[in-house]
Amino acid sequence: MKKYIFYIIAGFMGSLALVSCSKEGNYPGGVVSSYIGVFDVRNIYKGQPVQISKDNLDGSTTIAGVVVSDHREGNFPEGYLVIQDRRRLNQLRGITIPLGKAAENYVIGDSLEINIVGSELTRENGILQLKNVAESNIVKIASDKPIPNNRVTAKDILANPDKYESTLVAIVKGGFNPLPAAGDILEGQKTLNDGFGNLNLETKSSAKFAKRNLSVLANYFGVIFNKQDSEGKLIPYEVLRKESDIQELSSVIEHTPVAISGFASDVKGGDGNYEYIQLLAIEDIDFSKTPYAVIVSNNANASTPTGVPAKGWATGGMRTYKLNITSGTVTKGQYFYVGGKYKLINGSSSTDISNANWVVNYDYVAKDGFDGIGTKTGGLMANSGNAFGIAVFNTTAVTEATKPVDVMYISGGGALTDGTKGYRITNNDFYDVIDPLSLKSQPFFMAGTNNIFLKYNTADVGYFVSLGGVYNTSLARWTSARSQNNIEMTKASTLSEIENELSTKIEQ
C-alpha cells in the first residue's frame, strides 16, 4: 500500500513540475520587462528590413539609453538621434533613429525611453536604423547623464564595425597620415592613425570647427558610423560632434632613433654570455660621436637591492645591468645587436652569426656592468617570474631622472614603482609618460596605464622574441604597434629566421 501511495505522490509531483514550466522556461507568474537592450534589438536584423512588434521583442516594447548625438555645432549627420546602452550582458551597443528636425531637441547625456513598436529596423546609407519612430514615443527621463570614456583602437573598430556602430568611442593618441602640413584643416575626410590602424574621420564644411588646423597628436571622441562598399562590406568612419571632442595632446613630434625589435633571453642550454638583444636603427648613428646605452632590469624578489628601485635604471646590483655602445655605426633600417661575448644564434654549438652588426659583445658573466651599474651575472635577462625590462638611452650618462628613447617589458610582477620612483618609460607604442585620457603624469612602468607587457615563454626551448611592428619615420610614430612573435630556434637556425617579415620595420 505504501508503495502505491509513493507512486501516486511521485506522479502528482511530476505533473505539477510539467505544468509549472512554460515552454519559454520562464518562472510562472513572471512578467516580461517592457525594456529590451539595444544589443538584442540589433540582433533582430538579419540583412532584410524588419517590422518591430512585441512578438519579435519577446513581449517588450521599449529601449532606454543615453544620447550621444549632438547637432549644435553643425557636424553631426542631419536628422539622426543616436543613443547607446549596456542593458544586455554589459555589452555597449548603440542605435541610430532618423528623427528629422526633432533630433536637434536632444543633446549629449539626455536619458531617453523610446517605444519602438511599429518602427522598422533596416540598414540604410550603411547604418542600422530604427525608422518611423514618432517623437511622441520618446520620453526624456533625465539630463546630463555621465558617459564613461570608451577607449577603442582603430584596429578593433575595423575588425568589428557593426559592434561599434552608433556608439561613442575615444580614439587615443590619434595622428594624421600623412603628417599635417601648415594650413591643413579638419574639413573633409582625413585618415586618422592611432598606432593600431587607419580610420577615416569625416568633417562637414558646415561644422563650426571645420577650419580648425589639424593637430599633430590628440584624442578624438566621436560616434562611429558605417558606409557600405559595392560588395556590402561595412567601412567605418568617425564623426565628431563638437570642437571639444578633440583633446589636444602635443604639438611636438618626439622622434625615436632606435627601437627594440627582438631578443633572445633564454637560449637552448646555458645562457651565460649567449643572450642578446636585437635593435633597429631608425636613423643613421655613429656611436663614437653619439654614445648610447642599453640597460636590462631584473626584479626577482631575491635580487638586491630589494624594494622599489630608488635609482631606477641606474640602480645596479642585481637589479639593473648596463651595456654602453661607444663604437660602431648603424644605418637607417639596419638591425644591430648587443649582448654577451659569443655571437651564436641559440647558445653553445649553434650557428655563428658574427656577420650581423654587433656593436657590443661583453663578458657579463665575468665583468660588472659599465659605469658600475650591475653585478656580473650568469643570466642577463630573466627567464620567468617577475618583470624584466629593456631600455635604450641616447646617452651613457644614465641617472634616475634619465628618460629612455625606447622601453619594452616582459611580465609585470615585483617591486617596480611607488608612484614617485621606479623604471622610467618613454612615449612609444606601449607606454605613455602622460595618461592620454586623464592627462595625469605616469612616468614609470606599472604607473597608471603603463601596465602592458610581453609574456614569458617556456624555459630552455630557445625562443627568439621578434617584435613585429611598423614605425613611420615621416610621422615619427608607430603606425602598427609591436606584437610578440615567438620564433622557436634550433642550433642550426640562421640570421634570416630573426631578420624577416615578422621583424620590426620602418616606413616613410
Side-chain angles (χ1 to χ4, degrees), residues 190-308:
K190 300 293 186 294
T191 301
L192 194 62
N193 182 281
D194 64 347
F196 296 91
N198 291 318
L199 183 71
N200 287 333
L201 180 72
E202 298 197 356
T203 306
K204 293 181 179 180
S205 58
S206 59
K208 291 183 179 180
F209 50 88
K211 306 303 180 185
R212 177 189 170 118
N213 289 334
L214 296 182
S215 302
V216 173
L217 197 67
N219 299 331
Y220 294 86
F221 297 82
V223 176
I224 297 299
F225 292 112
N226 287 310
K227 298 178 181 179
Q228 285 181 295
D229 64 14
S230 58
E231 297 178 352
K233 180 182 177 181
L234 298 179
I235 310 297
Y237 61 98
E238 186 179 27
V239 172
L240 307 177
R241 300 145 319 158
K242 55 191 191 304
E243 187 169 7
S244 60
D245 280 341
I246 304 170
Q247 184 182 59
E248 195 84 28
L249 292 178
S250 176
S251 59
V252 178
I253 296 175
E254 189 171 311
H255 177 64
T256 300
V258 170
I260 300 163
S261 55
F263 55 89
S265 59
D266 187 12
V267 296
K268 185 67 174 177
D271 293 343
N273 274 324
Y274 292 107
E275 298 161 281
Y276 56 91
I277 298 163
Q278 183 194 76
L279 302 165
L280 176 65
I282 308 298
E283 61 184 26
D284 297 344
I285 305 172
D286 182 343
F287 293 112
S288 66
K289 297 178 180 178
T290 309
Y292 273 62
V294 174
I295 300 181
V296 175
S297 77
N298 289 295
N299 297 279
N301 291 329
S303 294
T304 53
T306 59
V308 173

Side-chain angles (χ1 to χ4, degrees), residues 98-110:
L99 205 60
K101 188 72 174 176
E104 299 176 17
N105 297 334
Y106 306 96
V107 296
I108 301 165
D110 286 348

Side-chain angles (χ1 to χ4, degrees), residues 44 48-54 56 116 118-121 132:
I44 294 172
Q48 297 296 326
V50 180
Q51 295 299 313
I52 297 299
S53 66
K54 290 185 69 174
N56 52 31
I116 61 172
S119 66
E120 180 183 67
L121 183 65
N132 305 324

Side-chain angles (χ1 to χ4, degrees), residues 317-373:
M318 297 173 66
R319 297 296 295 276
T320 64
Y321 194 97
K322 184 181 183 216
L323 298 170
N324 286 347
I325 311 174
T326 57
S327 63
T329 61
V330 292
T331 58
K332 181 178 179 180
Q334 183 180 30
Y335 300 104
F336 63 104
Y337 297 84
V338 302
K341 69 177 184 179
Y342 304 118
K343 302 177 183 179
L344 304 181
I345 197 166
N346 189 22
S348 176
S349 302
S350 66
T351 304
D352 184 317
I353 53 170
S354 56
N355 58 320
N357 189 5
W358 292 84
V359 293
V360 173
N361 292 101
Y362 191 70
D363 188 352
Y364 59 77
V365 174
K367 299 178 181 179
D368 291 341
F370 284 74
D371 303 318
I373 297 177

